[in-house]
Amino acid sequence: MPNGLRGVFVAESSLSYLDGERGELFIRGHDIRALVEGVGFEEVCCLLWTGRLPEPRALRCLRRDLGAARVRAAEDMWLFSVALDAEDPVDALQAALACLPASERRGDTGRDGKLRIVAALAVVAAAWWRRSQGQPLVAPDPALPHCEDWLRMLGIDSMRAARVRALDAWMVALAEHGTNASAFAARVVASTRADSVSAVLAGLAALKGTLHGGITRRVHSMLDAIGDTGNAAAWLERELESGRRLPGFGHPIYRARDPRAAALESAAAQLSAAGEPTRYLALARAVEREALRLLGERYPGRRIAANVDLYGAALLDAVGLPPELFIAAFAATRAAGWLAHVEEQRASGSLLRPEHRYVGQAPLRRLTA
Ligand code: ACO
């Protein structure tokens, strides 16, 4: 039986194609690097949910409707108030979604239902952050693109276009990535014909685990701890000597460099070229150089390369997103992908019901203590 279902096909999907050997990722046929460079989050939502990038008019409609959904989520804040008391922002997102009325969830399969979920996650994450900082909530502005408005609601300077563009690039890079643990969890729930909110809650629960959504924050802590390019080699060597894994390196599928690492390195470089402080970009590059050397010496012949989280952490730091919100931001982005998986799984009509290989006690003839 393959360890952790590696290499087992559980569904047919036309959402994303990953080539681990070559380090390539295509979303509905589009190279991730071209998407990160050329489109924003709303366009990727449209691509994931309809199979095509939107024409300008359709994009305007989508922006308008997503803006309206953010306003509605803010108006529903009384419904989510219990969520804002959660200690952890991902707990807050889970609690908020669980508060969406069952009557609404029944009809949530269309585009409006998807927009409602994506908007609610962004609005609640921002509200949770503002409240945790003792700051008043910032009302959404439905006329703005989603990413720009989200930064505004968080209280981060959204007037700096380069920052907005960088966060948008990160959201595009992270919106979908095959049948990973959280997408699989969402698919399992969708396969039972439960509603989309329940499926997204399953995705959120899986993402929260330290092996999935938490690595960007661990990379950020690593960069904090190293502090300066001159310290990188010694710090990394100490970590490896202590038997610890280096966050931001290695991937279950990619043997070559994760293509999203390249896309986000370039997005962070563009941010720097626009005059924004990117204190961890040079450090992340030095860490990559030294880590590849050390990992190559330690595991000759094994290809362990930089993954999305290495430059994701440097980029989010430069945008000004607090590390406490990294997983919540990931969830508010990846929800677009989960919802596409949910729809695909529903359309397949099959109930995901694998089996286990029994390794327990042989059948007993009578009850024994
Ligand atoms: N640092 C140090 N050693 C590593 C690293 C790393 N980042 N990645 C793999 N190795 C070593 C392992 O210790 C292992 O050595 P061993 O055989 O002596 O035990 C060997 O390389 C192969 O490890 P596997 O676990 O077989 O590699 P796999 O490809 O299955 O693991 C994983 C991938 C879990 C992502 C691993 O590389 C890792 O733990 N990386 C660090 C955490 C990280 O950045 N995770 C984000 C990945 S992206 C995502 O969201 C899943």
Side-chain angles (χ1 to χ4, degrees):
M1 192 169 61
N3 183 20
L5 295 181
R6 298 276 171 92
V8 175
F9 294 98
V10 294
E12 292 195 334
S13 177
S14 57
L15 296 174
S16 52
Y17 173 70
L18 287 74
D19 186 329
E21 287 300 316
R22 295 159 67 105
E24 291 182 335
L25 167 64
F26 297 87
I27 308 289
R28 296 238 191 231
H30 293 273
D31 191 318
I32 192 67
R33 285 163 289 209
L35 289 172
V36 169
E37 189 69 37
V39 303
F41 178 66
E42 289 96 329
E43 283 143 299
V44 167
C45 287
C46 181
L47 180 63
L48 287 169
W49 300 343
T50 69
R52 299 179 66 85
L53 285 168
E55 300 290 343
R57 193 168 156 274
L59 178 59
R60 278 197 300 279
C61 288
L62 183 64
R63 282 222 170 109
R64 182 199 62 206
D65 295 347
L66 186 52
R70 286 194 303 277
V71 171
R72 182 167 174 206
E75 286 167 359
D76 282 348
M77 204 51 80
W78 61 273
L79 205 64
F80 305 140
S81 59
V82 62
L84 301 190
D85 290 333
E87 266 180 47
D88 176 273
V90 181
D91 290 344
L93 297 185
Q94 288 177 309
L97 285 193
C99 289
L100 284 173
S103 55
E104 241 184 65
R105 295 192 195 188
R106 279 194 286 276
D108 70 354
T109 53
R111 175 175 169 278
D112 287 350
K114 293 187 182 74
L115 292 178
R116 175 120 168 90
I117 292 171
V118 169
L121 291 172
V123 169
V124 171
W128 181 90
W129 173 249
R130 297 285 296 170
R131 172 113 160 233
S132 73
Q133 300 303 296
Q135 301 287 332
L137 307 196
V138 178
D141 178 345
L144 293 178
H146 186 68
C147 182
E148 182 176 347
D149 201 27
W150 194 51
L151 276 181
R152 235 190 91 260
M153 287 188 284
L154 285 163
I156 298 172
D157 187 357
S158 59
M159 300 304 280
R160 290 148 85 164
R163 281 192 180 192
V164 176
R165 180 62 208 124
L167 182 61
D168 218 9
W170 181 81
M171 292 177 81
V172 170
L174 274 283
E176 156 61 13
H177 199 237
T179 305
N180 50 65
S182 58
F184 181 52
R187 283 190 96 113
V188 169
V189 173
S191 82
T192 69
R193 306 208 175 146
D195 57 89
S196 302
V197 169
S198 299
V200 168
L201 281 167
L204 266 169
L207 189 76
K208 198 176 160 191
T210 51
L211 289 184
H212 194 355
I215 304 292
T216 317
R217 191 163 178 193
R218 281 184 45 209
V219 171
H220 192 268
S221 304
M222 171 179 77
L223 297 174
D224 263 345
I226 297 175
D228 185 81
T229 51
N231 302 333
W235 194 95
L236 296 167
E237 195 151 13
R238 264 200 313 276
E239 285 299 286
L240 290 172
E241 281 302 314
S242 321
R244 285 189 285 273
R245 292 187 179 197
L246 306 178
F249 294 90
H251 194 277
I253 306 252
Y254 297 120
R255 293 292 154 230
R257 195 182 194 224
D258 184 332
R260 299 167 301 169
L264 293 183
E265 180 188 10
S266 146
Q270 284 170 29
L271 191 57
S272 173
E276 292 287 343
T278 46
R279 60 179 177 151
Y280 285 154
L281 175 58
L283 183 54
R285 284 173 166 157
V287 165
E288 181 173 12
R289 222 173 21 250
E290 293 302 332
L292 292 190
R293 181 178 62 76
L294 293 168
L295 288 167
E297 286 167 11
R298 196 165 280 254
Y299 304 106
R302 203 171 273 172
R303 295 157 69 199
I304 305 171
N307 64 44
V308 64
D309 297 301
L310 182 64
Y311 290 97
L315 182 144
L316 292 182
D317 180 80
V319 164
L321 202 77
E324 296 92 318
L325 281 184
F326 283 4
I327 305 181
F330 191 176
T333 302
R334 183 56 65 81
W338 294 333
L339 287 162
H341 280 276
V342 165
E343 194 159 319
E344 218 176 39
Q345 186 61 41
R346 277 207 193 108
S348 81
S350 68
L351 172 70
L352 287 170
R353 199 329 188 166
E355 292 194 44
H356 63 236
R357 188 159 50 80
Y358 182 65
V359 295
Q361 167 71 55
L364 297 166
R365 300 279 165 238
R366 57 189 164 80
L367 295 179
T368 52

